[in-house]
Amino acid sequence: MGFGGRVALAGVLAAALAADARAALGSVEGLAPERLFPWASFDPRMPTPTQVTGVVPGSRPLRHAELLRYLEALDEASDRVRVVQYATSHEGRPLVYVAVGEPETVADLEAFRKAHLERVDALRRTPEQDRQALASAKAVAWMAYGIHGDELSSVDAAAALLYWLAAGEDERARGLRRELLVLVDPCENPDGRERFLALTAAFAHVRPNPDTDDLSHTTVWPWGRGNHYLFDLNRDWFTLVQPESRRSEVIASWLPQLMVDSHEMGPHDTYLFPPPRHPFNPHLPPDSRRWWDRFSADQARVLDERGYGYYTREWNEEFFPGYGSSWASYHGAIGILYEMSSTEGTLVKQRGGTLRTYAQAVEHHVASSVANLETLAANREEILRDFVRGRREAARSGAEGPVRAWLFLPGHNPEWADELAALLRRLGVEVLRLAEPTRAESLRDARTGETRTMELPAGTWMVPLDQPAARMARVLLDPHVPMEAAFLREEREYLERGKGSRLYDTTAWALPLLRGVEAYWTGRKPGGAWRDDPVPQPAGALVEPEPSTPVYGYLFDGGNDRAAFALAEMLEKEIAVRVAEKPFRVAGRAYGRGSVLVPREGNPDSLPRALREVAQRWRVEIRPTPTARAEEGPDLGGSHFLPLIRPRIGVFAGWPVSPSDYGALWHLLDVEAGARFTALEVGRFAVLDLARFNVLVFPPAMEGARAYRAAIGQEGLDRLRRWIEAGGTAIGIGSGAEFLSDKDAGLTSARLRRQALDRYPPPVLGIPAEEAEMAGPFRAAGLAPAETDSDDTLAQGGGQQDGSKGKTKGRSLEPAAARRASPYDIAPLLGPGALPFAEGFPQGTPVSTELVGLRDWLRLLLPPGKREAELEDVERADARLRRFMPQGAILAVELDPESWLSWGLPPRIAVWFGASDTFIAESPVQVAARFEPLERLHLGGLLWPEAAGRIARTAYCTREALGRGQVILFAEHPAFRGWPRESRRLLWNALVYGPGLGTQWSNPW
């Protein structure tokens, strides 16, 4: 079926829904072409959006099928337009981009693309040759619209822009086609858009309601931001978990010079675009700021002409590389972000009294898009030269700098290294594979910073950094990306004064750490036979036994993820399996803890056929064993081979569950593992038959544990307790874990640190109390008189000797802050693996690594006459420490090798952590995973000393029996955004092993 046929098929239902929506939404004034493009003249043979869809631009949001129908009409009518499908959404909607340019360019896009790549190849020629090679070259722009489904206006702007670019006969349109090839991604998230449009139509009024509290604006859970699996696609640009993110591969294959990324924000705002504010990622091309200023000035001029307000340099920062405009920058593109105040497709009465319409929102994006394209065209040759020079400089820096290559060894799980290599290639990064072993010196471990000399095995991957994509490689692979000291001081001031973080997203994302890869970097590129070999793909099979050889059962290693998913399918098919709790050797092969035994006894005669299907689907090798007698370790028929039972999983969804956090679980179970589960609405807890499930998962909630308590209530909590005691496994994640561990719930002895302050107050690692008092919000408690106390020993030396035997308990007249540049001049904590990557970047003044007891630290802040800190004082001091908890860092966690939760994992793993608290746990709680001590805790990202002191040696994952069941807690989402591999395996073990290994269940009837 051709593109047009697919569009027609996808559009049948959507067109009917759109007709209903038109009737429901009422009439909102749209935009005539002469308003959007007052200078333009148009080819009358070209179809307008209104002619094809019946919708005047800006009068209401286009449905995705309507948009595709218009794109098809343009494609058929114009030799200046070509529509290219690059992927299909989960719900079956085509994902396309539209190429617009001169007919001879569009006629053979692939030939133009290859020629463009040759022209911008930084290593093909010398800098002196650039001017001649690029003088007449076209620049390429990628214009992206609507990555968040509930941000509507930019998609309609894309349709209007495409009409002018294709049909415009004025010199401005002709000039853009002559100087540029414009690639328009008109609707990046059709599934989310359609869900949101269905919700707004469902709650629409005959007359559109401008009240932003109306349901036609707020809609209901899960809203429309994410795709089908509720992923925020603007955080998936370099991880490519979702099919929509295949656009990253396409963009990398085009190497555009401009990348526009269009969004919406809160309804009471105006319009935001670059330049951004700090922190700036040090791997950004050095020309970025200069071009942001140039593009911003032209864009501001256009909006000024139309009388629209806007702003720059406020909340958007350029540190996290995972946004669309940001990601493309590391390939050399000029990244431009738009943020328009939202109207949800109708109109909004803003707090200041302004009535903002959907048509105006569309107009902002159209005007800005035209301005950006014209700036690109006007500066085409200079931008192309800067683009090539920047990529050449990146390759030179990679060849001469301190980091010249990254190496990924097969390590604990070779497939994770292979997956990382394949991902980087999709992102446009060169990766080579070692054909035969070679010796390498001066390799630095990404986690520990240790220097090693080793024999690299065949199959090792290398990312050489003497390549034009070196910036992209470094920003994705370096374990730590430093921030400048000026921003760090500002961030601390905001935190100390209780104004919240200045950071917009996570500060750590290093792919080798998150993917569990044994990774090293080196300043000396290793020799050896490195080749551009394909990534090996594992094959699965059921190995046939030798003729006349008996078969006791079948075995496979349970270490990799595919094996774990295969085990889940076997349980789903009610195949009887056992799992080894100790390593063993049988029939000449060694198997590790967590390996799976499928005995013949207790399984049907059709077992080989079923195992063959599972082996092929999950690409695992399943081998027969002729005997139960082990050569080493326990025999296969003994008590160390534990039976498992089929998980019957329920995952809570609906308000107040975080949609994206639920989506990560949904995608893991549904897509990656192919495992059945039931989504359970929290609001229906009182009427749910919990007995149908043996696993219940509580994802993070948007308003924390209190939202779960409010939704479930005491009666529901009592029901949950009885269900666990009867043999259920309750798994809490983030605030879901906070709900289960609440001291009033009585479900587990594990406690949030802030609920265990009476017994385990955190130590203070950071500035003295008097500095903290100076740094925080102003207090006005008057002067404290000096008091002597011969029994007190002051923790921080803030008092003065007065000649008596004791020390003065009052404040010093010259506090410690006077000896520091600023009370906010504090360096973050850096682990040994991260430390080399901060060299050359001032980080602030380090604090002492001596831990101070919280009560001792507090003494200088106690009011006159008060000798000891009480619990309420400790709680206030701990609340200050919690302000410094990570926005998102990668931390080191140690696993208990005796816990079945750790099966398939190495002794130490990396976890992404952005929670506001951790857990204190002691017997009878089993700590399956705990954070490493201070000297090994930090792997990457911003970690303040105060947070490190609170986190070190606390629990990341716990398990505790309750009656015949159990409660399992994760302090943070182990499958955050689909990124981590190691912590995700912890979760998978809890889901699949938990019902069989962690509970007491009855014998079959």
Side-chain angles (χ1 to χ4, degrees), residues 24 99 105 184 204 209 223 469 723 727 777 877 890 909 987:
T105 302
V184 177
N209 190 336
W223 306 287
W723 174 84
I890 301 178
I909 66 171
L987 172 63

Side-chain angles (χ1 to χ4, degrees), residues 685 696 698 716-724 740 747:
F685 191 91
L696 291 176
F698 294 81
L717 196 60
D718 293 340
R719 289 186 67 227
L720 178 62
R721 181 186 182 90
R722 292 192 295 271
W723 174 84
I724 298 171
L740 295 178
L747 302 178

Side-chain angles (χ1 to χ4, degrees), residues 696-836:
L696 291 176
V697 183
F698 294 81
M702 289 176 294
E703 295 185 3
R706 61 178 184 172
Y708 269 123
R709 288 194 292 271
I712 291 176
Q714 185 59 48
E715 184 176 343
L717 196 60
D718 293 340
R719 289 186 67 227
L720 178 62
R721 181 186 182 90
R722 292 192 295 271
W723 174 84
I724 298 171
E725 290 174 333
T729 295
I731 300 174
I733 297 172
S735 51
E738 293 184 18
F739 163 66
L740 295 178
S741 67
D742 188 89
K743 61 183 180 182
D744 295 328
L747 302 178
T748 174
S749 304
R751 289 286 176 268
L752 288 172
R753 178 141 223 174
R754 65 177 179 266
Q755 290 191 340
L757 296 176
D758 54 339
R759 299 183 60 198
Y760 294 101
V764 178
L765 179 63
I767 59 177
E770 49 197 350
E771 284 195 58
E773 182 182 42
M774 292 178 60
F778 275 14
R779 297 178 67 231
L783 294 175
E787 296 181 10
T788 60
D789 187 344
S790 58
D791 296 328
D792 282 348
T793 301
L794 298 183
Q796 295 289 341
Q800 297 175 326
Q801 293 285 8
D802 63 355
S804 66
K805 292 182 181 180
K807 290 186 178 180
T808 302
K809 194 175 180 181
R811 291 167 180 77
S812 165
L813 296 178
E814 296 184 10
R819 301 189 295 272
R820 199 187 301 275
S822 159
Y824 312 115
D825 176 29
I826 308 297
L829 188 73
L830 292 174
L835 194 58

Side-chain angles (χ1 to χ4, degrees), residues 348-425:
V348 160
K349 179 65 71 70
Q350 296 183 320
R351 289 193 185 95
T354 300
L355 189 69
R356 172 60 50 79
T357 68
Y358 187 63
Q360 290 172 319
V362 172
E363 184 180 4
H364 277 72
H365 286 315
V366 172
S368 296
S369 298
V370 173
N372 287 168
L373 289 172
E374 292 191 325
T375 304
L376 176 63
N379 299 276
R380 172 193 54 79
E381 187 177 349
E382 184 182 358
I383 288 172
L384 281 166
R385 289 203 305 270
D386 281 357
F387 182 87
V388 174
R389 187 184 72 248
R391 288 173 63 82
R392 186 180 292 126
E393 283 296 308
R396 183 196 60 77
S397 178
E400 301 173 1
V403 183
R404 301 189 183 182
W406 272 99
L407 300 165
F408 313 139
L409 274 63
H412 176 79
N413 193 328
E415 290 179 19
W416 286 347
D418 292 345
E419 288 175 2
L420 178 54
L423 174 62
L424 290 170
R425 284 181 172 176

Side-chain angles (χ1 to χ4, degrees), residues 615-917:
Q616 292 172 353
R617 179 178 298 109
W618 295 106
R619 294 173 292 147
V620 297
E621 183 180 81
I622 303 177
R623 304 186 68 87
T625 174
T627 178
R629 183 66 180 265
E631 297 152 15
E632 297 175 13
D635 291 333
L636 276 60
S639 60
H640 293 294
F641 285 80
L642 308 173
L644 296 179
I645 61 174
R646 175 186 174 188
R648 301 190 304 278
I649 301 170
V651 180
F652 284 103
W655 179 265
V657 173
S658 161
S660 61
D661 288 319
Y662 167 76
L665 295 168
W666 183 13
H667 186 265
L668 169 63
L669 289 160
D670 217 29
V671 176
E672 298 191 65
R676 178 183 170 186
F677 79 100
T678 298
L680 304 170
E681 187 179 359
V682 176
R684 298 184 65 249
F685 191 91
V687 298
L688 292 174
D689 181 5
L690 302 184
R692 299 175 59 236
F693 306 94
N694 55 20
V695 178
L696 291 176
V697 183
F698 294 81
M702 289 176 294
E703 295 185 3
R706 61 178 184 172
Y708 269 123
R709 288 194 292 271
I712 291 176
Q714 185 59 48
E715 184 176 343
L717 196 60
D718 293 340
R719 289 186 67 227
L720 178 62
R721 181 186 182 90
R722 292 192 295 271
W723 174 84
I724 298 171
E725 290 174 333
T729 295
I731 300 174
I733 297 172
S735 51
E738 293 184 18
F739 163 66
L740 295 178
S741 67
D742 188 89
K743 61 183 180 182
D744 295 328
L747 302 178
T748 174
S749 304
R751 289 286 176 268
L752 288 172
R753 178 141 223 174
R754 65 177 179 266
Q755 290 191 340
L757 296 176
D758 54 339
R759 299 183 60 198
Y760 294 101
V764 178
L765 179 63
I767 59 177
E770 49 197 350
E771 284 195 58
E773 182 182 42
M774 292 178 60
F778 275 14
R779 297 178 67 231
L783 294 175
E787 296 181 10
T788 60
D789 187 344
S790 58
D791 296 328
D792 282 348
T793 301
L794 298 183
Q796 295 289 341
Q800 297 175 326
Q801 293 285 8
D802 63 355
S804 66
K805 292 182 181 180
K807 290 186 178 180
T808 302
K809 194 175 180 181
R811 291 167 180 77
S812 165
L813 296 178
E814 296 184 10
R819 301 189 295 272
R820 199 187 301 275
S822 159
Y824 312 115
D825 176 29
I826 308 297
L829 188 73
L830 292 174
L835 194 58
F837 295 91
E839 291 179 3
F841 296 89
Q843 298 290 283
T845 304
V847 296
S848 169
T849 56
E850 180 182 354
L851 295 171
V852 178
L854 187 58
R855 291 180 182 275
D856 290 333
W857 184 89
L858 269 168
R859 288 185 182 181
L860 287 173
L861 298 185
L862 297 178
K866 192 170 186 177
R867 301 172 61 88
E868 292 293 335
E870 297 177 0
L871 182 58
E872 62 181 14
D873 301 310
V874 173
E875 288 174 342
R876 281 195 297 269
D878 182 62
R880 172 188 169 268
L881 295 180
R882 291 204 309 275
R883 295 177 195 163
F884 295 93
M885 292 293 276
Q887 178 83 358
I890 301 178
L891 305 181
V893 162
E894 179 184 9
L895 302 183
D896 179 1
E898 297 300 315
S899 171
W900 47 264
L901 285 163
S902 70
W903 287 354
L905 290 166
R908 289 177 167 83
I909 66 171
V911 303
W912 185 89
F913 187 75
S916 62
D917 216 339

